Every structure is written in C-alpha cells, then in structure tokens.
Amino acid sequence: MKKTRVRFAPSPTGPLHMGGVRTALYNYLYAKQNGGDFIIRIEDTDSHRFVPGAEQYIIESLLWCGIKPDEGVDENGKVVETASPKHPHAPYRQSQRKGIYRKYAEELVAKGCAYYAFDTSEELERARSEAEAKGETFIYNWSSRRKLRNSLTLPQEEVEKLLAGRTDWTVRFKMPEDTVVSMDDMIRGHIEVNSSTLDDKVLWKRADELPTYHLANIVDDHLMEITEVIRGEEWLPSLPLHYLLYQAFGWERPRFAHLSLLLKPVGNGKLSKRDGDKMGFPVFPLQWTNAEGETSHGYREDGYFPDAFINMLAMLGWNPGTEQEIFTMNELVDAFSMDKVQKAGAKFNPEKAKWYNKEYLRKKSDRELAELFIPILKDNGIDTDKEGIGHITDVVALIKERATFVGDFWNISKSIFTAPDEYVQKDVDKFWKEENWKPAYEAAKACSTGEELEEYIRSRELPMGKVMNCTRLVLTGAASGLGISDIMRLIGHEEVLRRWENAVNKL
Ligand code: GLU
C-alpha cells in the first residue's frame, strides 16, 4: 500500500481563517492516523492577491496549534526552498516552481486536451458585453471557442506566428462537450456533472509564465505523490476539471474530500470576520493587523489555549459517535474518521469555544497556571519574587474554578495581592454601621483564621452576615468576592490588621 501523503496548500492572501485551520487539522489527523505525512505547499501563483506576512502568519498559526508539518517547512518554521531527503520536493512555494509547469501545459496541448488562446482582454470584454446585451452570460466553452481566436480556429502558421510574436496568450483546457464526469468524494459520495456546464479554464499564462491554480495544483499533487486531497467545499466546483486533468495526463488521481463550511453563530451563511467583530469573538488563530492598520482578534492573544482551540475546532463538523467531548491531539488522531465528518455546514458557537477553554484551564496544574499568571501579576506591579511561586500557586488553586482564561485571574484575585484603595460605595452605605464594624474589628484583632473568626462571632451571638460583610468590605473593597477564610489564609493576619486600620481611617 502507498504511504499516505496529504497536504495543506494555502494561498498567502491574508490571515488564516479558523475554517482553514480546521482543514489543516483534518489533514494532519488523517495523515497521523494512517502513519503518513502532512505536507505544506504554498500556492502563491496569483501575485495580485499576495499579502506580505501572510505566509509566515499561516505557518506560525499551525505551529501554535500543534499542527506540525512533516514536509515543506523546516524546524525554524521556514518554507523549504532546497531539496533534501526530508524535503525531496522542494521548493514548496509554487512561485519558485515556476519553470516546472509550462511543459505540462504544452503536453496537454499536444494531446489535444488543451489549446492556445489569443483573445485579448478587450476582445473578451466585448464578447461579454455582447452576450449581456442579449441577456446571456458569456462563457468560454465548447460552443463559444469555435468563434474565438485560438489554436482550434486559426491556421497553424498563424498560431505559430502569434505564439512567437505575442506575450499575452494563454493555454486553456479544452472542456469536452456533453460528457458526464463521474466523481467520488470521501464525504459526499458519488457526484456526476455534465461537462457542458463547465468552462475552458485558463491553465497557463504566457504574460507572467505562471500556471493558474488548477494546473499548478494538479501537477504538484501528482509530483508530490499526494494520496488524499482534503480541502474546503469551495473547491468542489473545480473537482470535475481536476478529474479531467488527471485523466488527460494519464495520472492516477488522489482521493478527494471536501469539507463543509463553518457557519455563522446566528442566521445563515459562512462564518466571516465581520461576525467575529460584531459579536466579539476571534475568527483568526493569531492576531492580525492588515495594511490599513486594523487589528483583528486572535485566539492566542485572547487567551485561548491552543489545545482547547484545536479540540473545539475538531468537533466542528466531526463527531466521534460517542458523548466524549474532550480530546487531546493524540486522542483525536486515534478517534478521527472521515466517515464521521458531516456533509452539512457546522454552526460555530463562541460560547462553546469558551467552555472548552474553561475545561482545559481546569485540567492544567495549579503550578503551570501560576507560571502563566506571573507575567500578568508583574504587569500589575506585583513583586512576584516576594510573593513566591508557592503562594501564587495557592492563590491559583483557589480561583481557577471561577475563571475561563488566565487573563481573568487578576480581577478575581486582586484583593489577595493588593489592599483595596477604594470601597464600593453602595456596600459602604449598606454595611458600614458602627454597631457592625466595631465588633468586626475586635474580632479581626482576636482571630487569625476565618474559622476562628466565625467561632468568635457565633459565640458572642453577633449578627453573622453583617459582621462578615463589613470584614469583606475591609479586606476586598466590596461585599462580594472570594471567601473570607480563604482571603485571611492567603494574606495573613498582619495584612488583615493593616487593611482594617486603613478602612477605619478612610471610612
Ligand atoms: N490554494 C488553495 C486555497 O487557498 C488550495 C485548494 C486545495 O487545497 O486544492 O484554498
């Protein structure tokens, strides 16, 4: 049996959408499950759509997610340009493979499966407007090509003259007339399309001596020995052409799987950046700043753990057939199967993304979370060496259940690291009565733990709620928040008394 080889073939036209990350993930899971290779190829033959920084962004995103390519990208996260035993098909950027494709285009012409087209853009524009005037749409196909300027209609000598003298000709695929193209998709099953509905796509352009997506894609999948093409459903309309191209070359074709779209949380349609901006969730793995200087949210910068993000994405369009929702990457590799990938689009639920993060946060050790908390504490002016990792870990143990992100820790635990510098006025109005705070202060002086404090209040038959609320106001600046015993334990008796002195002076 042939070794499984799949590829993720992004075009560097902007930041990677989370739908693209899911495509890469399913490719990766499929490869690993079958003991195969996951290859990265950069499809950058459309120079008009090239966006600087996008390629690096895409690779950095995959690496952050733990989707590690076997081929095409080196240990430093660079796209490989020179062939080696590990990267035998380099370069992996199509713009650098430019010289490869022309002969394949010409091979198809020689076989009668493609032809040279000499129509100028003005001529094509004219044909388009003429059709429009008649209420029709112009399509370059089996019918219209008979009336256009190409190697099928012009005499041989003229073709040769034009090929030599002009630099704006193209090679077009000669789409057969009225032929049923019969295809199989691993997710969608059997599909049939009549070729008469399809157009004669440009395969290669003399102007920039570059192939179009279709030719480069098929040639490279063939040369790189790709066994399965797993990609987004937006490429399904190209499948008949790709089938016919394989047939024309006489090459064995890979199997195909077209993944459904990620859909908006509410309403219909494809999940877009605009939905994210409107509802306040990221659609990109990493933060991205475009040429206009506008920055979009990223899962990484918003505080999501990559394994939580990946787990959530895996379940968008695939299910294990059981109730299990939490999967590590290795568990996903074992459990994934193409026959449980759904045909219908998957609605994205931003709340579920948060739920996943909360679950992953809970699973992490207190110590690991404490390490992640340290930079945030530092940013808030806390001397973390003085506090000590042991203490910070104790605080994390207390608060982690209340948090979704490590970024939530500071607000939840601020009152442990700093004395309140102000007090919530409505709580002051409600609870700061002399008959309550005086005994509470006495109690604080007498007791060093929360348990002792409670016992003190109970034995003297003081009003428990009122006294406790005063204490909490003094310790945290508000009458709600963390438990008093926990705060007392974590800040120590001396600090409790200091906060009391402060409060009595200020209030
Ligand atoms: N370059 C295409 C894209 O950006 C790849 C399509 C494919 O995987 O065949 O989506």
Side-chain angles (χ1 to χ4, degrees):
M1 234 178 73
K2 270 209 280 186
K3 186 174 192 189
T4 296
R5 287 173 58 81
V6 298
R7 85 303 191 271
F8 181 57
S11 298
T13 55
L16 187 59
H17 186 277
M18 56 193 275
V21 181
R22 190 193 56 170
T23 301
L25 174 65
Y26 286 7
N27 270 284
Y28 176 84
L29 296 176
Y30 186 86
K32 296 297 122 186
Q33 182 170 74
N34 291 289
D37 290 335
F38 171 65
I39 295 140
I40 300 284
R41 181 175 73 227
I42 304 295
E43 301 206 323
D44 59 348
T45 55
D46 186 352
S47 55
H48 301 294
R49 297 181 60 217
F50 179 82
V51 171
E55 176 189 292
Q56 209 40 52
Y57 174 97
I58 292 166
I59 294 167
E60 198 182 329
S61 300
L62 297 182
L63 296 179
W64 178 69
C65 292
I67 304 173
K68 218 175 143 282
D70 298 296
E71 206 181 300
V73 170
D74 67 16
E75 312 69 57
N76 306 317
K78 295 268 172 301
V79 175
V80 180
E81 301 185 4
T82 332
S84 65
K86 204 172 172 315
H87 304 280
H89 301 285
Y92 289 86
R93 231 179 249 124
Q94 287 182 330
S95 60
Q96 293 173 329
R97 302 169 63 77
K98 195 171 170 174
I100 295 178
Y101 308 104
R102 180 173 185 164
K103 77 162 195 278
Y104 290 104
E106 282 172 347
E107 181 184 329
L108 291 182
V109 177
K111 284 181 162 164
C113 301
Y115 58 91
Y116 299 110
F118 302 104
D119 323 274
T120 61
S121 23
E122 295 76 42
E123 282 163 353
L124 290 176
E125 205 35 66
R126 200 175 323 126
R128 244 170 245 132
S129 358
E130 278 171 20
E132 250 169 57
K134 284 190 260 168
E136 294 163 5
T137 341
F138 171 75
I139 309 172
Y140 209 123
N141 65 3
W142 57 273
S143 162
S144 63
R145 70 185 171 223
R146 295 178 191 148
K147 290 162 255 154
L148 293 159
R149 285 161 55 72
N150 52 55
S151 59
L152 302 172
T153 57
L154 298 170
Q156 178 74 18
E157 314 84 79
E158 186 164 0
V159 168
E160 261 149 42
K161 225 172 71 204
L162 289 168
L163 284 177
R166 274 177 45 183
T167 55
D168 58 351
W169 50 267
T170 60
V171 174
R172 281 185 185 266
F173 186 67
K174 191 176 160 200
M175 186 55 79
E177 185 187 342
D178 196 22
T179 303
V180 175
V181 189
S182 195
M183 300 160 285
D184 289 294
D185 183 277
M186 294 166 82
I187 299 166
R188 283 145 215 278
H190 191 71
I191 306 167
E192 290 188 356
V193 169
N194 189 303
S195 66
S196 293
T197 61
L198 305 169
D199 61 337
D200 291 0
K201 284 267 184 289
V202 172
L203 300 177
W204 193 83
K205 295 162 286 151
R206 172 65 178 85
D208 53 11
E209 302 196 281
L210 277 171
T212 58
Y213 155 74
H214 302 289
L215 181 69
N217 190 267
I218 265 61
V219 167
D220 283 345
D221 282 347
H222 171 70
L223 296 177
M224 295 181 180
E225 299 169 77
I226 299 303
T227 54
E228 276 84 14
V229 168
I230 304 166
R231 62 185 173 190
E233 122 182 301
E234 65 273 28
W235 299 105
L236 193 57
S238 302
L239 190 59
L241 170 63
H242 294 184
Y243 256 65
L244 293 170
L245 280 168
Y246 279 103
Q247 201 177 61
F249 282 118
W251 293 338
E252 190 187 335
R253 57 163 188 266
R255 296 199 294 162
F256 290 89
H258 289 85
L259 305 172
S260 62
L261 293 174
L262 294 190
L263 304 176
K264 296 177 187 307
V266 281
N268 293 318
K270 194 176 156 187
L271 176 68
S272 71
K273 185 178 111 50
R274 203 128 41 84
D275 300 316
D277 292 344
K278 228 168 39 200
M279 293 176 66
F281 61 81
V283 297
F284 300 131
L286 317 179
Q287 192 173 294
W288 168 263
T289 304
N290 68 12
E292 284 75 48
E294 297 153 354
T295 299
S296 300
H297 283 256
Y299 280 89
R300 181 176 68 183
E301 289 74 12
D302 278 14
Y304 285 83
F305 296 116
D307 40 5
F309 174 57
I310 280 303
N311 194 160
M312 181 276 296
L313 263 188
M315 310 298 282
L316 271 180
W318 168 81
N319 71 82
T322 65
E323 294 295 299
Q324 188 178 345
E325 290 193 279
I326 303 291
F327 289 86
T328 62
M329 188 68 106
N330 284 337
E331 287 167 345
L332 285 173
V333 167
D334 289 339
F336 185 76
S337 76
M338 206 54 99
D339 57 347
K340 293 215 163 58
V341 173
Q342 71 193 43
K343 268 186 234 160
K347 237 183 199 341
F348 171 64
N349 175 357
E351 288 311 313
K352 194 72 186 182
K354 286 191 189 153
W355 178 85
Y356 267 106
N357 210 65
K358 204 173 161 70
E359 290 299 310
Y360 273 78
L361 189 141
R362 270 204 206 141
K363 282 202 311 177
K364 304 239 183 262
S365 76
D366 300 340
R367 172 68 189 234
E368 191 182 347
L369 292 170
E371 302 280 358
L372 297 173
F373 189 22
I374 284 177
I376 301 174
L377 286 168
K378 286 194 171 134
D379 283 348
N380 284 288
I382 303 298
D383 182 344
T384 50
D385 291 332
K386 209 169 110 207
E387 299 286 342
I389 184 76
H391 174 62
I392 298 170
T393 306
D394 286 345
V395 174
V396 166
L398 174 68
I399 61 168
K400 72 192 247 197
E401 291 292 326
R402 294 169 182 242
T404 301
F405 302 103
V406 173
D408 299 336
F409 285 1
W410 171 248
N411 273 336
I412 303 172
S413 67
K414 197 154 101 185
S415 59
I416 293 171
F417 296 100
T418 57
D421 44 20
E422 49 190 60
Y423 303 86
V424 172
Q425 194 54 47
K426 78 170 187 356
D427 291 342
V428 174
D429 295 344
K430 200 160 160 201
F431 299 112
W432 197 253
K433 307 259 155 48
E434 206 170 292
E435 73 263 29
N436 297 327
W437 71 257
K438 280 219 160 131
Y441 193 12
E442 289 313 309
K445 286 182 197 156
C447 309
S448 57
T449 70
E451 294 69 35
E452 282 173 36
L453 187 75
E454 269 183 48
E455 186 45 41
Y456 179 102
I457 298 169
R458 208 170 291 125
S459 63
R460 282 165 183 73
E461 291 181 356
L462 297 168
M464 179 69 83
K466 288 174 177 163
V467 171
M468 281 306 208
N469 278 324
C470 271
T471 309
R472 203 197 289 273
L473 189 59
V474 166
L475 298 183
T476 71
S480 60
L482 298 173
I484 289 176
S485 333
D486 293 322
I487 302 176
M488 287 179 72
R489 174 170 57 83
L490 289 164
I491 69 179
H493 196 218
E494 252 177 68
E495 176 66 15
V496 169
L497 294 181
R498 229 188 328 266
R499 290 189 189 183
W500 263 107
E501 265 167 52
N502 255 341
V504 170
N505 285 337
K506 277 197 186 163
L507 292 172

